[in-house]
Amino acid sequence: MRRMADEILAEQKSILRREMLARRRVFSAAERKEASRTICARAAQLSALKAAQTIMLYASMAEEIDLVPFMESLLADGRRIVLPEITGRGTMEARELPAMDALTDGAFGIATPDPTRGSIVPPEEIDVIIVPGAAFSSDGGRLGLGGGYYDRFLPRARNAVRLVL
C-alpha cells in the first residue's frame, strides 16, 4: 500500500515538474532578463543576504533566473560565493568561486568553479543558500528537478537561511 502511494506521489511530482518547466520556457529572453534583474535586486535587499558572508548560489541554466550579474556584484562586495559541484549520483558539495573567470564546465554541462582555484566549503560555513527549483509552494516547499541533490545537501547546511528564487 505504501509503495503504491509513493509511486502515485512520484508520478504527480513528475507531471507537475514537466508542467512548471514548460511554463518557464514560454518567457522570452528579454522577459527573463528583466525578471532576473528584478528578482535579484529584491533578494539583495533581504536582511539575511545583506548580513551573509558566505552565499551559495547556483549556475543558472538558460531557462532559469540569470544569477551571473548577482554573483559578480556579490564578489565585488567581497562576499565568499560558493556553487554546487556534483560529486556523485545525487550528491554535491559547495565549492568556492574565487572569481568569475574560475567557472568551468561541470556535470550535466552546468558551470562549476575550477577545482584547482576554489576549495570545498563545509556546509556549516554557508550563511545563505539561494535554492533553485521547478516550483515552490507559498510556505517555501520546493519541487526540484528530480535528482535529489539539494534534498541531500540542505540538511547538512542546517544553519543557512534558504531563499527560493
Side-chain angles (χ1 to χ4, degrees):
M1 188 70 137
R2 175 75 179 155
R3 184 176 180 169
M4 189 165 72
D6 288 346
E7 289 173 5
I8 291 170
L9 180 60
E11 181 59 25
Q12 289 172 337
K13 284 182 175 183
S14 180
I15 291 167
L16 181 59
R17 184 179 295 112
R18 283 193 305 271
E19 180 182 330
M20 293 296 105
L21 294 177
R23 287 183 184 189
R24 261 188 353 198
R25 286 191 287 274
V26 301
F27 291 99
S28 70
E31 289 170 321
R32 191 172 290 110
K33 183 176 182 177
E34 180 59 23
S36 297
R37 188 195 62 72
T38 300
I39 290 167
C40 290
R42 286 185 184 166
Q45 297 308 309
L46 297 172
S47 59
L49 202 59
K50 285 181 176 182
Q53 184 54 41
T54 301
I55 303 161
M56 184 172 187
L57 298 147
Y58 57 92
S60 311
M61 295 187 287
E63 294 157 353
E64 293 178 315
I65 295 165
D66 180 8
L67 295 177
V68 169
F70 196 36
M71 276 184 229
E72 291 170 337
S73 173
L74 292 168
L75 282 169
D77 285 347
R79 311 290 191 89
R80 181 164 79 161
I81 301 303
V82 299
L83 299 177
E85 177 183 355
I86 304 302
T87 55
R89 185 169 186 231
T91 62
M92 68 183 200
E93 295 295 335
R95 185 171 293 278
E96 186 171 1
L97 177 67
M100 294 305 290
D101 67 355
L103 286 172
T104 187
D105 285 336
F108 307 111
I110 300 170
T112 189
D114 182 342
T116 65
R117 295 184 57 194
S119 60
I120 296 289
V121 174
E124 59 272 8
E125 292 182 18
I126 301 170
D127 301 313
V128 170
I129 300 176
I130 295 183
V131 184
F136 302 95
S137 66
S138 60
D139 65 352
R142 172 182 173 273
L143 176 65
L145 298 180
Y149 293 92
Y150 279 86
D151 296 332
R152 290 177 188 86
F153 183 82
L154 290 173
R156 296 174 49 215
R158 62 188 163 276
N159 298 326
V161 173
R162 296 168 188 152
L163 302 176
V164 293
L165 301 184

